[in-house]
mmCIF file of all heavy atoms in Angstrom:
data_model
loop_
_atom_site.group_PDB
_atom_site.id
_atom_site.type_symbol
_atom_site.label_atom_id
_atom_site.label_comp_id
_atom_site.label_asym_id
_atom_site.label_seq_id
_atom_site.Cartn_x
_atom_site.Cartn_y
_atom_site.Cartn_z
ATOM 1 N N GLY N 22 7.010 1.184 3.682
ATOM 2 C CA GLY N 22 6.747 2.611 3.621
ATOM 3 C C GLY N 22 5.872 3.092 4.773
ATOM 4 O O GLY N 22 5.111 4.080 4.682
ATOM 5 N N GLY N 23 5.938 2.393 5.885
ATOM 6 C CA GLY N 23 5.032 2.658 7.045
ATOM 7 C C GLY N 23 5.521 3.747 7.996
ATOM 8 O O GLY N 23 4.867 4.000 9.011
ATOM 9 N N ALA N 24 6.641 4.433 7.661
ATOM 10 C CA ALA N 24 7.058 5.482 8.577
ATOM 11 C C ALA N 24 6.544 6.842 8.312
ATOM 12 O O ALA N 24 6.797 7.792 9.057
ATOM 13 C CB ALA N 24 8.613 5.520 8.554
ATOM 14 N N ALA N 25 5.802 6.975 7.187
ATOM 15 C CA ALA N 25 5.217 8.335 6.854
ATOM 16 C C ALA N 25 3.995 8.144 5.993
ATOM 17 O O ALA N 25 3.645 7.039 5.543
ATOM 18 C CB ALA N 25 6.283 9.083 6.039
ATOM 19 N N GLY N 26 3.256 9.254 5.883
ATOM 20 C CA GLY N 26 2.091 9.278 5.004
ATOM 21 C C GLY N 26 1.084 8.247 5.155
ATOM 22 O O GLY N 26 0.667 7.949 6.248
ATOM 23 N N ILE N 27 0.628 7.629 4.014
ATOM 24 C CA ILE N 27 -0.435 6.633 4.028
ATOM 25 C C ILE N 27 0.014 5.405 4.802
ATOM 26 O O ILE N 27 -0.834 4.800 5.565
ATOM 27 C CB ILE N 27 -0.800 6.251 2.573
ATOM 28 C CG1 ILE N 27 -1.289 7.497 1.794
ATOM 29 C CG2 ILE N 27 -1.862 5.131 2.571
ATOM 30 C CD1 ILE N 27 -1.382 7.314 0.297
ATOM 31 N N GLY N 28 1.259 4.974 4.678
ATOM 32 C CA GLY N 28 1.732 3.754 5.383
ATOM 33 C C GLY N 28 1.695 3.971 6.839
ATOM 34 O O GLY N 28 1.276 3.097 7.602
ATOM 35 N N ALA N 45 8.480 -1.434 7.515
ATOM 36 C CA ALA N 45 9.727 -1.473 6.735
ATOM 37 C C ALA N 45 9.875 -0.183 6.003
ATOM 38 O O ALA N 45 9.029 0.092 5.093
ATOM 39 C CB ALA N 45 9.670 -2.671 5.780
ATOM 40 N N ASP N 46 10.811 0.569 6.356
ATOM 41 C CA ASP N 46 10.956 1.931 5.720
ATOM 42 C C ASP N 46 12.426 2.400 5.662
ATOM 43 O O ASP N 46 13.222 2.095 6.534
ATOM 44 C CB ASP N 46 10.162 2.917 6.529
ATOM 45 C CG ASP N 46 9.753 4.171 5.750
ATOM 46 O OD1 ASP N 46 10.752 4.985 5.487
ATOM 47 O OD2 ASP N 46 8.565 4.336 5.416
ATOM 48 N N LEU N 47 12.699 3.142 4.646
ATOM 49 C CA LEU N 47 14.001 3.791 4.411
ATOM 50 C C LEU N 47 14.362 4.735 5.603
ATOM 51 O O LEU N 47 15.561 4.916 5.857
ATOM 52 C CB LEU N 47 13.894 4.654 3.140
ATOM 53 C CG LEU N 47 15.107 4.903 2.287
ATOM 54 C CD1 LEU N 47 15.880 3.627 1.931
ATOM 55 C CD2 LEU N 47 14.643 5.530 0.948
ATOM 56 N N ASN N 48 13.415 5.292 6.231
ATOM 57 C CA ASN N 48 13.655 6.217 7.343
ATOM 58 C C ASN N 48 14.493 5.572 8.494
ATOM 59 O O ASN N 48 14.094 4.595 8.987
ATOM 60 C CB ASN N 48 12.292 6.715 7.881
ATOM 61 C CG ASN N 48 12.437 7.911 8.749
ATOM 62 O OD1 ASN N 48 13.367 7.927 9.585
ATOM 63 N ND2 ASN N 48 11.495 8.849 8.713
ATOM 64 N N GLY N 67 15.537 0.423 6.193
ATOM 65 C CA GLY N 67 16.270 -0.169 5.064
ATOM 66 C C GLY N 67 15.602 0.144 3.805
ATOM 67 O O GLY N 67 14.500 0.709 3.786
ATOM 68 N N ASP N 68 16.235 -0.284 2.714
ATOM 69 C CA ASP N 68 15.747 0.012 1.387
ATOM 70 C C ASP N 68 15.055 -1.225 0.790
ATOM 71 O O ASP N 68 15.578 -2.289 0.662
ATOM 72 C CB ASP N 68 17.001 0.332 0.478
ATOM 73 C CG ASP N 68 16.540 0.835 -0.899
ATOM 74 O OD1 ASP N 68 15.417 0.520 -1.312
ATOM 75 O OD2 ASP N 68 17.376 1.455 -1.573
ATOM 76 N N ILE N 69 13.759 -1.063 0.509
ATOM 77 C CA ILE N 69 12.900 -2.148 0.115
ATOM 78 C C ILE N 69 13.294 -2.715 -1.262
ATOM 79 O O ILE N 69 12.845 -3.781 -1.623
ATOM 80 C CB ILE N 69 11.407 -1.700 0.135
ATOM 81 C CG1 ILE N 69 10.471 -2.832 0.327
ATOM 82 C CG2 ILE N 69 10.992 -0.821 -1.044
ATOM 83 C CD1 ILE N 69 10.522 -3.560 1.676
ATOM 84 N N THR N 70 14.165 -1.972 -1.985
ATOM 85 C CA THR N 70 14.642 -2.553 -3.251
ATOM 86 C C THR N 70 15.735 -3.560 -3.043
ATOM 87 O O THR N 70 16.188 -4.260 -3.997
ATOM 88 C CB THR N 70 15.145 -1.487 -4.213
ATOM 89 O OG1 THR N 70 16.270 -0.828 -3.611
ATOM 90 C CG2 THR N 70 14.085 -0.384 -4.481
ATOM 91 N N TYR N 74 17.548 -6.967 2.638
ATOM 92 C CA TYR N 74 16.661 -6.208 3.541
ATOM 93 C C TYR N 74 15.288 -6.779 3.596
ATOM 94 O O TYR N 74 14.657 -7.016 4.657
ATOM 95 C CB TYR N 74 16.705 -4.718 3.219
ATOM 96 C CG TYR N 74 15.666 -3.919 3.983
ATOM 97 C CD1 TYR N 74 15.778 -3.755 5.327
ATOM 98 C CD2 TYR N 74 14.527 -3.397 3.324
ATOM 99 C CE1 TYR N 74 14.862 -3.028 6.040
ATOM 100 C CE2 TYR N 74 13.612 -2.647 4.052
ATOM 101 C CZ TYR N 74 13.684 -2.497 5.399
ATOM 102 O OH TYR N 74 12.828 -1.827 6.131
ATOM 103 N N ASN N 94 1.886 -3.234 0.722
ATOM 104 C CA ASN N 94 2.974 -2.730 -0.063
ATOM 105 C C ASN N 94 2.709 -1.199 -0.317
ATOM 106 O O ASN N 94 1.966 -0.881 -1.240
ATOM 107 C CB ASN N 94 3.092 -3.428 -1.424
ATOM 108 C CG ASN N 94 3.871 -4.688 -1.383
ATOM 109 O OD1 ASN N 94 4.995 -4.650 -0.790
ATOM 110 N ND2 ASN N 94 3.430 -5.697 -2.048
ATOM 111 N N CYS N 95 3.284 -0.396 0.531
ATOM 112 C CA CYS N 95 2.914 1.061 0.467
ATOM 113 C C CYS N 95 4.154 1.961 0.057
ATOM 114 O O CYS N 95 3.911 3.054 -0.409
ATOM 115 C CB CYS N 95 2.394 1.509 1.859
ATOM 116 S SG CYS N 95 1.370 2.971 1.733
ATOM 117 N N ALA N 96 5.366 1.446 0.242
ATOM 118 C CA ALA N 96 6.522 2.274 -0.180
ATOM 119 C C ALA N 96 6.413 2.709 -1.579
ATOM 120 O O ALA N 96 6.175 1.800 -2.479
ATOM 121 C CB ALA N 96 7.821 1.544 0.116
ATOM 122 N N GLY N 97 6.595 3.965 -1.853
ATOM 123 C CA GLY N 97 6.521 4.419 -3.237
ATOM 124 C C GLY N 97 7.140 5.789 -3.396
ATOM 125 O O GLY N 97 7.278 6.515 -2.455
ATOM 126 N N ILE N 98 7.510 6.055 -4.618
ATOM 127 C CA ILE N 98 8.147 7.306 -4.929
ATOM 128 C C ILE N 98 7.508 7.975 -6.247
ATOM 129 O O ILE N 98 6.954 7.213 -6.996
ATOM 130 C CB ILE N 98 9.656 7.263 -5.134
ATOM 131 C CG1 ILE N 98 10.034 6.211 -6.192
ATOM 132 C CG2 ILE N 98 10.374 6.932 -3.817
ATOM 133 C CD1 ILE N 98 11.451 6.225 -6.657
ATOM 134 N N VAL N 118 11.342 0.741 -7.046
ATOM 135 C CA VAL N 118 10.651 0.928 -5.729
ATOM 136 C C VAL N 118 9.177 0.574 -5.833
ATOM 137 O O VAL N 118 8.650 -0.215 -5.087
ATOM 138 C CB VAL N 118 10.798 2.368 -5.218
ATOM 139 C CG1 VAL N 118 10.155 2.579 -3.903
ATOM 140 C CG2 VAL N 118 12.304 2.749 -5.115
ATOM 141 N N ASN N 119 8.490 1.176 -6.793
ATOM 142 C CA ASN N 119 7.040 1.017 -6.867
ATOM 143 C C ASN N 119 6.567 -0.355 -7.257
ATOM 144 O O ASN N 119 5.661 -0.894 -6.720
ATOM 145 C CB ASN N 119 6.380 2.106 -7.797
ATOM 146 C CG ASN N 119 6.639 3.528 -7.302
ATOM 147 O OD1 ASN N 119 7.306 3.755 -6.340
ATOM 148 N ND2 ASN N 119 6.048 4.468 -7.997
ATOM 149 N N MET N 146 -0.400 -0.789 -3.117
ATOM 150 C CA MET N 146 -0.782 0.593 -3.323
ATOM 151 C C MET N 146 -0.562 0.937 -4.768
ATOM 152 O O MET N 146 0.502 1.115 -5.287
ATOM 153 C CB MET N 146 0.202 1.460 -2.431
ATOM 154 C CG MET N 146 -0.093 2.945 -2.495
ATOM 155 S SD MET N 146 -1.805 3.358 -2.042
ATOM 156 C CE MET N 146 -1.822 2.849 -0.367
ATOM 157 N N ALA N 147 -1.667 1.145 -5.448
ATOM 158 C CA ALA N 147 -1.617 1.659 -6.820
ATOM 159 C C ALA N 147 -1.935 3.104 -6.733
ATOM 160 O O ALA N 147 -1.471 3.827 -5.841
ATOM 161 C CB ALA N 147 -2.606 0.894 -7.712
ATOM 162 N N SER N 148 -2.800 3.648 -7.682
ATOM 163 C CA SER N 148 -3.053 5.105 -7.693
ATOM 164 C C SER N 148 -4.080 5.358 -8.765
ATOM 165 O O SER N 148 -4.145 4.545 -9.746
ATOM 166 C CB SER N 148 -1.807 5.883 -7.963
ATOM 167 O OG SER N 148 -2.065 7.264 -8.243
ATOM 168 N N GLN N 149 -4.802 6.451 -8.673
ATOM 169 C CA GLN N 149 -5.597 6.885 -9.845
ATOM 170 C C GLN N 149 -4.703 6.977 -11.068
ATOM 171 O O GLN N 149 -5.132 6.907 -12.219
ATOM 172 C CB GLN N 149 -6.410 8.158 -9.516
ATOM 173 C CG GLN N 149 -5.527 9.334 -9.374
ATOM 174 C CD GLN N 149 -6.253 10.675 -9.062
ATOM 175 O OE1 GLN N 149 -7.420 10.661 -8.782
ATOM 176 N NE2 GLN N 149 -5.607 11.754 -9.090
ATOM 177 N N TYR N 161 5.599 7.022 -13.125
ATOM 178 C CA TYR N 161 4.663 6.753 -12.063
ATOM 179 C C TYR N 161 3.389 6.029 -12.514
ATOM 180 O O TYR N 161 3.035 5.040 -11.980
ATOM 181 C CB TYR N 161 4.346 8.097 -11.351
ATOM 182 C CG TYR N 161 3.585 7.958 -10.042
ATOM 183 C CD1 TYR N 161 4.298 7.572 -8.901
ATOM 184 C CD2 TYR N 161 2.248 8.180 -10.024
ATOM 185 C CE1 TYR N 161 3.581 7.437 -7.665
ATOM 186 C CE2 TYR N 161 1.562 8.062 -8.790
ATOM 187 C CZ TYR N 161 2.215 7.723 -7.630
ATOM 188 O OH TYR N 161 1.543 7.594 -6.483
ATOM 189 N N LYS N 165 2.158 2.213 -11.624
ATOM 190 C CA LYS N 165 0.948 1.946 -10.893
ATOM 191 C C LYS N 165 -0.019 1.110 -11.686
ATOM 192 O O LYS N 165 -0.785 0.318 -11.172
ATOM 193 C CB LYS N 165 0.316 3.258 -10.430
ATOM 194 C CG LYS N 165 1.148 4.082 -9.431
ATOM 195 C CD LYS N 165 1.428 3.349 -8.173
ATOM 196 C CE LYS N 165 2.206 4.083 -7.199
ATOM 197 N NZ LYS N 165 2.421 3.367 -5.848
ATOM 198 N N SER N 190 -6.375 2.563 -5.093
ATOM 199 C CA SER N 190 -5.943 3.590 -5.981
ATOM 200 C C SER N 190 -6.451 4.941 -5.489
ATOM 201 O O SER N 190 -7.521 5.386 -5.909
ATOM 202 C CB SER N 190 -6.408 3.296 -7.369
ATOM 203 O OG SER N 190 -5.594 2.341 -8.034
ATOM 204 N N PRO N 191 -5.684 5.606 -4.620
ATOM 205 C CA PRO N 191 -6.149 6.862 -4.155
ATOM 206 C C PRO N 191 -5.939 8.010 -5.178
ATOM 207 O O PRO N 191 -5.082 7.927 -6.092
ATOM 208 C CB PRO N 191 -5.272 7.167 -2.949
ATOM 209 C CG PRO N 191 -4.536 5.939 -2.640
ATOM 210 C CD PRO N 191 -4.483 5.127 -3.948
ATOM 211 N N THR N 192 -6.724 9.055 -5.012
ATOM 212 C CA THR N 192 -6.477 10.345 -5.685
ATOM 213 C C THR N 192 -5.263 10.990 -4.906
ATOM 214 O O THR N 192 -4.556 10.327 -4.149
ATOM 215 C CB THR N 192 -7.702 11.258 -5.636
ATOM 216 O OG1 THR N 192 -7.362 12.448 -6.368
ATOM 217 C CG2 THR N 192 -8.137 11.588 -4.198
ATOM 218 N N VAL N 193 -5.125 12.244 -5.073
ATOM 219 C CA VAL N 193 -4.045 12.979 -4.323
ATOM 220 C C VAL N 193 -4.371 12.840 -2.781
ATOM 221 O O VAL N 193 -5.519 13.110 -2.368
ATOM 222 C CB VAL N 193 -3.996 14.428 -4.703
ATOM 223 C CG1 VAL N 193 -2.978 15.193 -3.828
ATOM 224 C CG2 VAL N 193 -3.655 14.598 -6.172
ATOM 225 N N VAL N 194 -3.354 12.383 -2.037
ATOM 226 C CA VAL N 194 -3.502 12.292 -0.606
ATOM 227 C C VAL N 194 -2.545 13.265 -0.006
ATOM 228 O O VAL N 194 -1.382 13.443 -0.423
ATOM 229 C CB VAL N 194 -3.174 10.826 -0.156
ATOM 230 C CG1 VAL N 194 -3.445 10.661 1.344
ATOM 231 C CG2 VAL N 194 -3.937 9.834 -0.918
ATOM 232 N N LEU N 195 -2.998 13.945 1.059
ATOM 233 C CA LEU N 195 -2.224 15.039 1.634
ATOM 234 C C LEU N 195 -1.059 14.551 2.504
ATOM 235 O O LEU N 195 -1.174 14.652 3.714
ATOM 236 C CB LEU N 195 -3.131 16.027 2.369
ATOM 237 C CG LEU N 195 -4.116 16.648 1.364
ATOM 238 C CD1 LEU N 195 -5.250 17.439 2.111
ATOM 239 C CD2 LEU N 195 -3.427 17.599 0.354
ATOM 240 N N THR N 196 -0.091 13.985 1.852
ATOM 241 C CA THR N 196 1.148 13.514 2.493
ATOM 242 C C THR N 196 2.298 14.361 1.860
ATOM 243 O O THR N 196 2.126 15.096 0.944
ATOM 244 C CB THR N 196 1.401 12.062 2.173
ATOM 245 O OG1 THR N 196 1.597 11.905 0.766
ATOM 246 C CG2 THR N 196 0.204 11.170 2.579
ATOM 247 N N GLU N 197 3.564 14.018 2.296
ATOM 248 C CA GLU N 197 4.715 14.695 1.667
ATOM 249 C C GLU N 197 4.782 14.512 0.219
ATOM 250 O O GLU N 197 4.970 15.457 -0.572
ATOM 251 C CB GLU N 197 5.976 14.118 2.341
ATOM 252 C CG GLU N 197 7.175 15.080 2.182
ATOM 253 C CD GLU N 197 8.411 14.472 2.840
ATOM 254 O OE1 GLU N 197 8.279 13.987 4.034
ATOM 255 O OE2 GLU N 197 9.459 14.492 2.221
ATOM 256 N N LEU N 198 4.531 13.225 -0.215
ATOM 257 C CA LEU N 198 4.543 12.914 -1.669
ATOM 258 C C LEU N 198 3.413 13.652 -2.397
ATOM 259 O O LEU N 198 3.631 14.211 -3.488
ATOM 260 C CB LEU N 198 4.396 11.392 -1.844
ATOM 261 C CG LEU N 198 4.420 10.786 -3.260
ATOM 262 C CD1 LEU N 198 5.108 9.421 -3.193
ATOM 263 C CD2 LEU N 198 3.012 10.631 -3.791
ATOM 264 N N GLY N 199 2.248 13.739 -1.751
ATOM 265 C CA GLY N 199 1.076 14.417 -2.406
ATOM 266 C C GLY N 199 1.315 15.884 -2.540
ATOM 267 O O GLY N 199 1.023 16.477 -3.554
ATOM 268 N N TRP N 203 1.413 18.122 -6.013
ATOM 269 C CA TRP N 203 0.143 18.791 -6.249
ATOM 270 C C TRP N 203 -0.108 20.179 -5.490
ATOM 271 O O TRP N 203 -1.186 20.727 -5.587
ATOM 272 C CB TRP N 203 -1.001 17.866 -5.969
ATOM 273 C CG TRP N 203 -1.006 16.704 -6.831
ATOM 274 C CD1 TRP N 203 -0.571 15.427 -6.573
ATOM 275 C CD2 TRP N 203 -1.349 16.616 -8.194
ATOM 276 N NE1 TRP N 203 -0.646 14.615 -7.671
ATOM 277 C CE2 TRP N 203 -1.133 15.337 -8.702
ATOM 278 C CE3 TRP N 203 -1.805 17.660 -9.167
ATOM 279 C CZ2 TRP N 203 -1.389 14.992 -10.062
ATOM 280 C CZ3 TRP N 203 -2.054 17.270 -10.452
ATOM 281 C CH2 TRP N 203 -1.858 15.978 -10.876
HETATM 282 N N1 NAD O 1 0.090 10.926 -1.702
HETATM 283 C C1 NAD O 1 -0.549 10.717 -2.767
HETATM 284 O O1 NAD O 1 -1.154 11.650 -3.363
HETATM 285 C C2 NAD O 1 -0.719 9.345 -3.278
HETATM 286 C C3 NAD O 1 -1.742 9.047 -4.246
HETATM 287 C C4 NAD O 1 -1.921 7.752 -4.729
HETATM 288 C C5 NAD O 1 -0.998 6.820 -4.407
HETATM 289 N N2 NAD O 1 -0.003 7.051 -3.486
HETATM 290 C C6 NAD O 1 0.905 5.976 -3.187
HETATM 291 O O2 NAD O 1 0.832 5.706 -1.780
HETATM 292 C C7 NAD O 1 2.127 5.230 -1.333
HETATM 293 C C8 NAD O 1 2.541 6.094 -0.117
HETATM 294 O O3 NAD O 1 2.613 7.393 -0.530
HETATM 295 P P1 NAD O 1 2.704 8.578 0.512
HETATM 296 O O4 NAD O 1 1.971 9.705 -0.117
HETATM 297 O O5 NAD O 1 2.287 8.099 1.866
HETATM 298 O O6 NAD O 1 4.255 8.919 0.446
HETATM 299 P P2 NAD O 1 5.241 9.508 1.535
HETATM 300 O O7 NAD O 1 6.414 10.003 0.740
HETATM 301 O O8 NAD O 1 4.517 10.371 2.497
HETATM 302 O O9 NAD O 1 5.733 8.118 2.304
HETATM 303 C C9 NAD O 1 6.376 7.139 1.604
HETATM 304 C C10 NAD O 1 7.157 6.337 2.607
HETATM 305 O O10 NAD O 1 7.824 5.271 1.815
HETATM 306 C C11 NAD O 1 9.222 5.255 2.260
HETATM 307 N N3 NAD O 1 10.050 4.757 1.226
HETATM 308 C C12 NAD O 1 10.266 5.356 -0.061
HETATM 309 N N4 NAD O 1 11.189 4.665 -0.738
HETATM 310 C C13 NAD O 1 11.528 3.591 0.048
HETATM 311 C C14 NAD O 1 12.406 2.521 -0.163
HETATM 312 N N5 NAD O 1 13.144 2.440 -1.311
HETATM 313 N N6 NAD O 1 12.481 1.579 0.785
HETATM 314 C C15 NAD O 1 11.720 1.696 1.908
HETATM 315 N N7 NAD O 1 10.874 2.660 2.170
HETATM 316 C C16 NAD O 1 10.768 3.639 1.186
HETATM 317 C C17 NAD O 1 9.551 6.681 2.647
HETATM 318 O O11 NAD O 1 10.642 6.719 3.515
HETATM 319 C C18 NAD O 1 8.266 7.139 3.323
HETATM 320 O O12 NAD O 1 8.253 6.874 4.684
HETATM 321 C C19 NAD O 1 3.071 5.297 -2.504
HETATM 322 O O13 NAD O 1 3.166 4.070 -3.150
HETATM 323 C C20 NAD O 1 2.382 6.306 -3.452
HETATM 324 O O14 NAD O 1 2.738 6.094 -4.765
HETATM 325 C C21 NAD O 1 0.169 8.296 -2.973
#
Side-chain angles (χ1 to χ4, degrees):
I27 299 167
D46 199 291
L47 209 48
N48 190 321
D68 186 341
I69 204 67
T70 64
Y74 171 67
N94 272 318
C95 201
I98 54 169
V118 179
N119 294 5
M146 183 57 63
S148 167
Q149 65 181 9
Y161 188 77
K165 296 300 185 179
S190 281
T192 183
V193 177
V194 186
L195 296 168
T196 65
E197 200 179 314
L198 182 145
W203 297 104

